[in-house]
Short mmCIF file of all heavy atoms in Angstrom, two decimals:
data_model
loop_
_atom_site.label_atom_id
_atom_site.label_comp_id
_atom_site.label_asym_id
_atom_site.label_seq_id
_atom_site.Cartn_x
_atom_site.Cartn_y
_atom_site.Cartn_z
N LEU I 370 12.66 8.36 -5.32
CA LEU I 370 11.35 8.53 -4.78
C LEU I 370 10.71 7.24 -4.27
O LEU I 370 9.88 7.26 -3.38
CB LEU I 370 10.38 9.14 -5.85
CG LEU I 370 10.49 10.62 -6.12
CD1 LEU I 370 9.67 11.03 -7.34
CD2 LEU I 370 10.06 11.42 -4.89
N GLY I 371 11.09 6.12 -4.87
CA GLY I 371 10.35 4.85 -4.52
C GLY I 371 8.89 5.04 -4.88
O GLY I 371 8.58 5.43 -6.01
N ASN I 372 7.97 4.83 -3.92
CA ASN I 372 6.53 4.95 -4.12
C ASN I 372 6.00 6.35 -3.91
O ASN I 372 4.82 6.59 -3.99
CB ASN I 372 5.78 4.00 -3.22
CG ASN I 372 5.94 2.56 -3.60
OD1 ASN I 372 6.25 2.24 -4.73
ND2 ASN I 372 5.70 1.70 -2.65
N LEU I 373 6.90 7.25 -3.56
CA LEU I 373 6.46 8.64 -3.20
C LEU I 373 6.11 9.41 -4.46
O LEU I 373 6.62 9.17 -5.54
CB LEU I 373 7.56 9.37 -2.44
CG LEU I 373 8.09 8.68 -1.19
CD1 LEU I 373 9.25 9.50 -0.58
CD2 LEU I 373 6.99 8.51 -0.17
N HIS I 374 5.23 10.40 -4.28
CA HIS I 374 4.86 11.29 -5.36
C HIS I 374 5.43 12.67 -5.01
O HIS I 374 5.29 13.13 -3.87
CB HIS I 374 3.32 11.41 -5.50
CG HIS I 374 2.64 10.11 -5.71
ND1 HIS I 374 2.51 9.58 -6.95
CD2 HIS I 374 2.09 9.28 -4.84
CE1 HIS I 374 1.87 8.41 -6.85
NE2 HIS I 374 1.60 8.21 -5.56
N LEU I 375 6.08 13.32 -5.98
CA LEU I 375 6.71 14.59 -5.76
C LEU I 375 5.79 15.75 -6.25
O LEU I 375 5.34 15.68 -7.39
CB LEU I 375 8.06 14.69 -6.43
CG LEU I 375 8.81 16.04 -6.41
CD1 LEU I 375 9.12 16.41 -4.96
CD2 LEU I 375 10.04 15.97 -7.26
N VAL I 376 5.59 16.73 -5.45
CA VAL I 376 4.92 17.98 -5.83
C VAL I 376 5.88 19.10 -5.56
O VAL I 376 6.42 19.25 -4.43
CB VAL I 376 3.62 18.18 -5.03
CG1 VAL I 376 2.99 19.54 -5.34
CG2 VAL I 376 2.62 17.07 -5.31
N VAL I 377 6.16 19.92 -6.56
CA VAL I 377 7.06 21.08 -6.44
C VAL I 377 6.19 22.34 -6.37
O VAL I 377 5.31 22.59 -7.21
CB VAL I 377 8.05 21.13 -7.58
CG1 VAL I 377 8.92 22.40 -7.43
CG2 VAL I 377 8.94 19.88 -7.59
N ASP I 378 6.44 23.14 -5.32
CA ASP I 378 5.65 24.32 -5.00
C ASP I 378 6.59 25.46 -4.75
O ASP I 378 6.71 25.95 -3.62
CB ASP I 378 4.74 24.01 -3.84
CG ASP I 378 3.93 25.20 -3.36
OD1 ASP I 378 3.54 26.04 -4.20
OD2 ASP I 378 3.63 25.33 -2.16
N VAL I 379 7.26 25.93 -5.76
CA VAL I 379 8.30 26.99 -5.61
C VAL I 379 7.67 28.24 -5.01
O VAL I 379 8.30 28.91 -4.14
CB VAL I 379 8.98 27.32 -6.97
CG1 VAL I 379 9.94 28.44 -6.86
CG2 VAL I 379 9.73 26.07 -7.47
N SER I 380 6.46 28.57 -5.36
CA SER I 380 5.82 29.80 -4.82
C SER I 380 5.41 29.66 -3.36
O SER I 380 5.09 30.61 -2.72
CB SER I 380 4.58 30.11 -5.66
OG SER I 380 3.56 29.13 -5.42
N ARG I 381 5.33 28.43 -2.85
CA ARG I 381 4.90 28.08 -1.51
C ARG I 381 3.46 28.39 -1.27
O ARG I 381 2.98 28.51 -0.18
CB ARG I 381 5.85 28.75 -0.46
CG ARG I 381 7.28 28.33 -0.55
CD ARG I 381 8.22 28.90 0.48
NE ARG I 381 7.93 30.21 0.95
CZ ARG I 381 8.35 31.34 0.32
NH1 ARG I 381 9.04 31.28 -0.75
NH2 ARG I 381 8.03 32.53 0.89
N LYS I 382 2.68 28.53 -2.40
CA LYS I 382 1.22 28.80 -2.26
C LYS I 382 0.54 27.59 -1.58
O LYS I 382 -0.38 27.77 -0.82
CB LYS I 382 0.64 29.10 -3.62
CG LYS I 382 1.00 30.47 -4.10
CD LYS I 382 0.35 30.77 -5.45
CE LYS I 382 0.77 32.12 -5.97
NZ LYS I 382 0.26 32.41 -7.29
N THR I 383 0.92 26.37 -1.98
CA THR I 383 0.29 25.20 -1.37
C THR I 383 0.65 25.14 0.09
O THR I 383 -0.23 24.82 0.93
CB THR I 383 0.73 23.92 -2.16
OG1 THR I 383 0.43 24.05 -3.50
CG2 THR I 383 0.04 22.69 -1.59
N TYR I 384 1.89 25.42 0.45
CA TYR I 384 2.23 25.52 1.83
C TYR I 384 1.30 26.46 2.58
O TYR I 384 0.78 26.16 3.65
CB TYR I 384 3.67 26.03 2.02
CG TYR I 384 4.77 24.97 1.79
CD1 TYR I 384 5.16 24.61 0.47
CD2 TYR I 384 5.47 24.42 2.84
CE1 TYR I 384 6.20 23.75 0.28
CE2 TYR I 384 6.52 23.56 2.66
CZ TYR I 384 6.87 23.18 1.38
OH TYR I 384 7.89 22.32 1.19
N GLY I 385 1.12 27.64 1.99
CA GLY I 385 0.27 28.63 2.60
C GLY I 385 -1.18 28.24 2.75
O GLY I 385 -1.82 28.46 3.77
N ARG I 386 -1.74 27.54 1.69
CA ARG I 386 -3.10 27.07 1.77
C ARG I 386 -3.31 26.05 2.90
O ARG I 386 -4.38 25.88 3.43
CB ARG I 386 -3.53 26.44 0.45
CG ARG I 386 -3.89 27.46 -0.64
CD ARG I 386 -4.62 26.84 -1.78
NE ARG I 386 -3.77 25.95 -2.54
CZ ARG I 386 -3.02 26.33 -3.57
NH1 ARG I 386 -2.97 27.58 -3.93
NH2 ARG I 386 -2.31 25.43 -4.24
N TRP I 387 -2.24 25.34 3.24
CA TRP I 387 -2.32 24.32 4.29
C TRP I 387 -1.91 24.94 5.67
O TRP I 387 -1.76 24.21 6.63
CB TRP I 387 -1.44 23.13 3.93
CG TRP I 387 -2.11 22.21 2.96
CD1 TRP I 387 -2.23 22.42 1.62
CD2 TRP I 387 -2.82 21.03 3.24
NE1 TRP I 387 -2.94 21.40 1.06
CE2 TRP I 387 -3.30 20.53 2.01
CE3 TRP I 387 -3.03 20.30 4.40
CZ2 TRP I 387 -4.04 19.33 1.92
CZ3 TRP I 387 -3.75 19.10 4.28
CH2 TRP I 387 -4.24 18.65 3.09
N GLY I 388 -1.68 26.26 5.69
CA GLY I 388 -1.43 26.92 6.97
C GLY I 388 0.02 26.76 7.42
O GLY I 388 0.31 26.87 8.64
N ILE I 389 0.95 26.52 6.52
CA ILE I 389 2.34 26.27 6.88
C ILE I 389 3.18 27.49 6.46
O ILE I 389 3.46 27.64 5.27
CB ILE I 389 2.88 25.00 6.24
CG1 ILE I 389 1.95 23.83 6.47
CG2 ILE I 389 4.28 24.66 6.77
CD1 ILE I 389 2.19 22.67 5.59
N GLY I 390 3.55 28.28 7.43
CA GLY I 390 4.37 29.48 7.11
C GLY I 390 5.74 29.32 7.58
O GLY I 390 6.32 28.21 7.59
N TYR I 391 6.32 30.44 8.00
CA TYR I 391 7.73 30.46 8.41
C TYR I 391 7.90 30.17 9.89
O TYR I 391 6.98 30.43 10.70
CB TYR I 391 8.32 31.81 8.09
CG TYR I 391 8.69 32.03 6.66
CD1 TYR I 391 9.21 33.24 6.25
CD2 TYR I 391 8.60 31.01 5.72
CE1 TYR I 391 9.57 33.46 4.93
CE2 TYR I 391 8.96 31.23 4.43
CZ TYR I 391 9.46 32.47 4.05
OH TYR I 391 9.81 32.62 2.71
N SER I 392 9.05 29.69 10.19
CA SER I 392 9.45 29.41 11.60
C SER I 392 10.18 30.63 12.14
O SER I 392 10.31 31.64 11.45
CB SER I 392 10.40 28.21 11.60
OG SER I 392 11.58 28.50 10.91
N ASN I 393 10.63 30.52 13.34
CA ASN I 393 11.48 31.53 13.90
C ASN I 393 12.93 30.97 13.92
O ASN I 393 13.14 29.79 13.60
CB ASN I 393 11.05 31.96 15.32
CG ASN I 393 11.02 30.79 16.31
OD1 ASN I 393 11.86 29.90 16.25
ND2 ASN I 393 10.01 30.81 17.21
N PHE I 394 13.88 31.80 14.25
CA PHE I 394 15.29 31.41 14.18
C PHE I 394 15.63 30.17 15.02
O PHE I 394 16.37 29.29 14.59
CB PHE I 394 16.18 32.63 14.55
CG PHE I 394 17.64 32.39 14.33
CD1 PHE I 394 18.18 32.44 13.06
CD2 PHE I 394 18.50 32.20 15.40
CE1 PHE I 394 19.52 32.23 12.81
CE2 PHE I 394 19.86 32.01 15.18
CZ PHE I 394 20.35 32.05 13.87
N THR I 395 15.06 30.12 16.22
CA THR I 395 15.39 28.98 17.11
C THR I 395 14.79 27.68 16.64
O THR I 395 15.21 26.60 17.03
CB THR I 395 14.97 29.25 18.58
OG1 THR I 395 13.55 29.50 18.61
CG2 THR I 395 15.71 30.43 19.17
N HIS I 396 13.76 27.79 15.73
CA HIS I 396 13.15 26.53 15.17
C HIS I 396 14.23 25.69 14.44
O HIS I 396 14.25 24.48 14.58
CB HIS I 396 12.01 26.92 14.18
CG HIS I 396 11.32 25.78 13.63
ND1 HIS I 396 10.23 25.18 14.27
CD2 HIS I 396 11.47 25.08 12.48
CE1 HIS I 396 9.79 24.19 13.53
NE2 HIS I 396 10.53 24.10 12.41
N PHE I 397 15.08 26.40 13.70
CA PHE I 397 16.13 25.63 12.97
C PHE I 397 17.54 25.82 13.48
O PHE I 397 18.44 25.08 13.13
CB PHE I 397 16.03 25.91 11.48
CG PHE I 397 16.34 27.33 11.03
CD1 PHE I 397 17.59 27.74 10.74
CD2 PHE I 397 15.22 28.22 10.91
CE1 PHE I 397 17.80 29.06 10.32
CE2 PHE I 397 15.43 29.51 10.52
CZ PHE I 397 16.72 29.96 10.22
N MET I 398 17.76 26.82 14.37
CA MET I 398 19.10 27.04 14.89
C MET I 398 19.16 26.85 16.42
O MET I 398 20.17 27.18 17.05
CB MET I 398 19.62 28.43 14.54
CG MET I 398 19.98 28.55 13.05
SD MET I 398 21.34 27.49 12.52
CE MET I 398 22.69 28.27 13.26
N GLY I 399 18.07 26.41 17.03
CA GLY I 399 18.03 26.23 18.44
C GLY I 399 18.78 24.95 18.85
O GLY I 399 19.14 24.10 18.00
N LEU I 400 19.03 24.79 20.09
CA LEU I 400 19.83 23.65 20.62
C LEU I 400 19.20 22.29 20.19
O LEU I 400 19.98 21.42 19.73
CB LEU I 400 19.96 23.71 22.13
CG LEU I 400 20.81 22.61 22.78
CD1 LEU I 400 22.19 22.60 22.21
CD2 LEU I 400 20.82 22.79 24.29
N GLN I 401 17.90 22.13 20.31
CA GLN I 401 17.28 20.86 19.92
C GLN I 401 17.57 20.53 18.49
O GLN I 401 17.89 19.41 18.14
CB GLN I 401 15.76 20.93 20.09
CG GLN I 401 15.28 20.52 21.45
CD GLN I 401 13.76 20.50 21.46
OE1 GLN I 401 13.15 21.55 21.48
NE2 GLN I 401 13.19 19.31 21.37
N SER I 402 17.44 21.48 17.58
CA SER I 402 17.65 21.24 16.14
C SER I 402 19.11 20.96 15.88
O SER I 402 19.41 20.07 15.07
CB SER I 402 17.16 22.45 15.33
OG SER I 402 15.79 22.55 15.44
N LEU I 403 20.02 21.68 16.55
CA LEU I 403 21.44 21.42 16.31
C LEU I 403 21.84 20.05 16.83
O LEU I 403 22.64 19.32 16.14
CB LEU I 403 22.27 22.51 16.98
CG LEU I 403 22.09 23.91 16.38
CD1 LEU I 403 22.88 24.97 17.16
CD2 LEU I 403 22.44 23.96 14.92
N VAL I 404 21.31 19.61 17.93
CA VAL I 404 21.54 18.25 18.41
C VAL I 404 21.00 17.26 17.42
O VAL I 404 21.59 16.25 17.12
CB VAL I 404 20.97 18.08 19.82
CG1 VAL I 404 20.97 16.63 20.24
CG2 VAL I 404 21.77 18.92 20.83
N GLY I 405 19.78 17.60 16.86
CA GLY I 405 19.18 16.69 15.87
C GLY I 405 20.04 16.55 14.60
O GLY I 405 20.11 15.48 14.04
N VAL I 406 20.63 17.67 14.16
CA VAL I 406 21.52 17.62 13.02
C VAL I 406 22.68 16.68 13.29
O VAL I 406 23.06 15.84 12.45
CB VAL I 406 22.07 19.02 12.64
CG1 VAL I 406 23.22 18.96 11.64
CG2 VAL I 406 20.96 19.87 12.04
N PHE I 407 23.25 16.78 14.48
CA PHE I 407 24.37 15.92 14.82
C PHE I 407 23.96 14.44 14.87
O PHE I 407 24.65 13.56 14.39
CB PHE I 407 24.96 16.33 16.17
CG PHE I 407 26.17 15.53 16.55
CD1 PHE I 407 27.39 15.72 15.89
CD2 PHE I 407 26.12 14.58 17.58
CE1 PHE I 407 28.50 14.96 16.26
CE2 PHE I 407 27.22 13.84 17.93
CZ PHE I 407 28.43 14.04 17.25
N ALA I 408 22.80 14.16 15.44
CA ALA I 408 22.27 12.78 15.47
C ALA I 408 22.11 12.23 14.08
O ALA I 408 22.38 11.03 13.85
CB ALA I 408 20.96 12.75 16.26
N LEU I 409 21.58 13.03 13.18
CA LEU I 409 21.42 12.56 11.82
C LEU I 409 22.70 12.38 11.07
O LEU I 409 22.90 11.45 10.27
CB LEU I 409 20.49 13.56 11.01
CG LEU I 409 19.00 13.51 11.42
CD1 LEU I 409 18.27 14.61 10.64
CD2 LEU I 409 18.38 12.16 11.20
N LEU I 410 23.70 13.27 11.40
CA LEU I 410 25.04 13.12 10.84
C LEU I 410 25.63 11.74 11.19
O LEU I 410 26.28 11.08 10.35
CB LEU I 410 25.90 14.22 11.33
CG LEU I 410 27.35 14.26 10.76
CD1 LEU I 410 27.33 14.41 9.24
CD2 LEU I 410 28.15 15.42 11.39
N LEU I 411 25.36 11.27 12.39
CA LEU I 411 25.85 9.97 12.81
C LEU I 411 25.23 8.84 12.02
O LEU I 411 25.75 7.74 11.94
CB LEU I 411 25.62 9.73 14.30
CG LEU I 411 26.42 10.69 15.24
CD1 LEU I 411 26.01 10.46 16.71
CD2 LEU I 411 27.90 10.52 15.03
N LYS I 412 24.04 9.13 11.35
CA LYS I 412 23.39 8.15 10.53
C LYS I 412 23.71 8.38 9.04
O LYS I 412 23.08 7.74 8.20
CB LYS I 412 21.86 8.26 10.73
CG LYS I 412 21.39 7.92 12.12
CD LYS I 412 19.88 8.11 12.20
CE LYS I 412 19.43 7.79 13.62
NZ LYS I 412 17.95 7.96 13.75
#
Side-chain angles (χ1 to χ4, degrees):
L370 283 171
N372 290 337
L373 305 177
H374 303 276
L375 174 63
V376 174
V377 176
D378 177 31
V379 175
S380 69
R381 299 181 328 274
K382 287 181 182 176
T383 304
Y384 281 78
R386 281 193 294 272
W387 282 78
I389 310 163
Y391 281 177
S392 63
N393 59 36
F394 189 74
T395 59
H396 183 87
F397 63 90
M398 288 297 288
L400 182 59
Q401 270 186 284
S402 295
L403 295 176
V404 168
V406 166
F407 183 72
L409 289 176
L410 183 60
L411 296 176
K412 295 178 182 180

